[in-house]
Amino acid sequence: MSKQIIWNYFKEKGFTDCGIAGLMGNIQAESNFKSTNLQNNGNKALNMTDEQYTAAVDKGTYSRDMFQNDKYGFGLVQWTWHSRKAKLFDYAKKCKKSIGDLQMQLDFMYSELKGYPSVLKVLQTADTVREASDAVMLQYEKPADQSESARAKRASYGQDVYNEFCNAFKMVSVECCVLQKTAKGEAVRALQGILNAVGFNCGEADGSFGSKTDSAVKAFQKSNNLTADGVVGKKTWTVLLQGGN
């Protein structure tokens, strides 16, 4: 669900599809889209789960000073540098939100990106995922490992995001086979990508038509005045490819 929220957020900000995908590939590399993610060595050193750390910061038992100076990455993009963590903390308090709140972190990230005009421009104009991914990685994230292999890996994550949210629409047509629960394969993966893209969460696009995909299909059908039977035939495909309601 976080992936869909993140995609929609930056879509509304005017980023290109390639720009969003490149950015999201970096987010995946940093936190796997988990806004409460604490760097693994922080979990070990502090003997805290992600949820315990987030709760401690929210309650104040883990103070602002401790949060900003512990040198552990946290959140969607693993904010680590003390001044950035302090600003994140203050922003969360100003918004009266948890330090791990997804929407708050997206707003904070966007405000940060405004301070990187060259990166922001790329995200608004990029026509390749690699271009956007490299801009985010090298100018905004600045991880220790900036090797070609690390850059290619992040770009591959971004390409997977692009394929899930964009290419799915190009992979199928209204002549697709009828799909329903227990079906498997690339047509199911495409269906799942489209459902996620239009806001009906069915989880990871894994190519397996299970109960979560069945529920998403039925919810989509009901929302679009179709027979909510979970069977994806020509009528359902047609409305799906038009984006639904």
Side-chain angles (χ1 to χ4, degrees):
M1 188 63 176
S2 293
K3 290 169 71 175
Q4 183 67 56
I5 292 171
I6 295 167
W7 179 274
N8 291 346
Y9 181 90
F10 289 110
K11 191 75 172 176
E12 290 177 1
K13 297 301 182 185
F15 291 8
T16 66
D17 290 344
C18 288
I20 301 170
L23 175 59
M24 288 180 66
N26 276 271
I27 293 174
Q28 180 176 344
E30 295 291 339
S31 67
N32 200 27
F33 308 109
K34 186 179 180 183
S35 59
T36 58
N37 184 267
L38 173 65
Q39 189 175 339
N40 289 342
N41 62 346
N43 295 124
K44 184 176 180 179
L46 299 171
N47 193 28
M48 288 184 179
T49 65
D50 295 347
E51 291 70 27
Q52 289 171 335
Y53 180 84
T54 301
V57 175
D58 288 343
K59 292 176 182 176
T61 54
Y62 198 83
S63 69
R64 178 184 188 275
D65 185 65
M66 294 165 69
F67 178 73
Q68 76 173 80
N69 292 309
D70 64 15
K71 298 182 180 179
Y72 302 126
F74 178 76
L76 288 176
V77 296
Q78 293 292 277
W79 286 280
T80 307
W81 188 249
H82 65 91
S83 60
R84 294 179 75 188
K85 289 189 77 175
K87 289 178 181 178
L88 174 64
F89 183 96
D90 292 342
Y91 189 84
K93 292 300 182 185
K94 179 182 176 181
C95 297
K96 298 181 180 180
K97 297 290 186 179
S98 166
I99 196 70
D101 184 79
L102 175 60
Q103 184 66 46
M104 180 279 295
Q105 288 191 14
L106 289 172
D107 289 339
F108 181 73
M109 191 192 315
Y110 184 60
S111 71
E112 274 199 328
L113 286 168
K114 290 179 180 177
Y116 296 80
S118 60
V119 177
L120 192 61
K121 184 176 180 180
V122 170
L123 295 176
Q124 294 168 336
T125 61
D127 56 13
T128 67
V129 173
R130 180 63 187 262
E131 176 189 10
S133 180
D134 281 357
V136 173
M137 178 179 176
L138 301 179
Q139 299 178 57
Y140 177 68
E141 286 288 355
K142 300 180 181 178
D145 184 0
Q146 298 184 12
S147 64
E148 170 57 27
S149 61
R151 291 166 62 186
K153 186 174 183 178
R154 292 196 180 209
S156 72
Y157 290 157
Q159 191 62 53
D160 287 342
V161 171
Y162 183 90
N163 291 343
E164 179 177 345
F165 285 94
C166 301
N167 277 355
F169 289 95
K170 302 173 185 178
M171 290 167 60
V172 296
S173 74
V174 294
E175 303 305 326
C176 279
C177 58
V178 174
L179 299 175
Q180 55 189 313
K181 199 169 182 180
T182 73
K184 296 181 183 297
E186 287 305 309
V188 175
R189 192 186 306 277
L191 168 66
Q192 292 168 323
I194 296 173
L195 285 167
N196 283 332
V198 297
F200 290 82
N201 179 41
C202 60
E204 182 183 356
D206 59 4
S208 180
F209 199 133
S211 58
K212 197 165 186 178
T213 300
D214 182 61
S215 295
V217 168
K218 289 177 180 176
F220 176 85
Q221 290 171 326
K222 183 176 180 180
S223 177
N224 288 274
N225 299 315
L226 297 166
T227 301
D229 56 5
V231 178
V232 185
K234 186 170 183 178
K235 287 184 179 179
T236 299
W237 276 123
T238 299
V239 181
L240 272 168
L241 292 170
Q242 292 172 347
N245 291 332

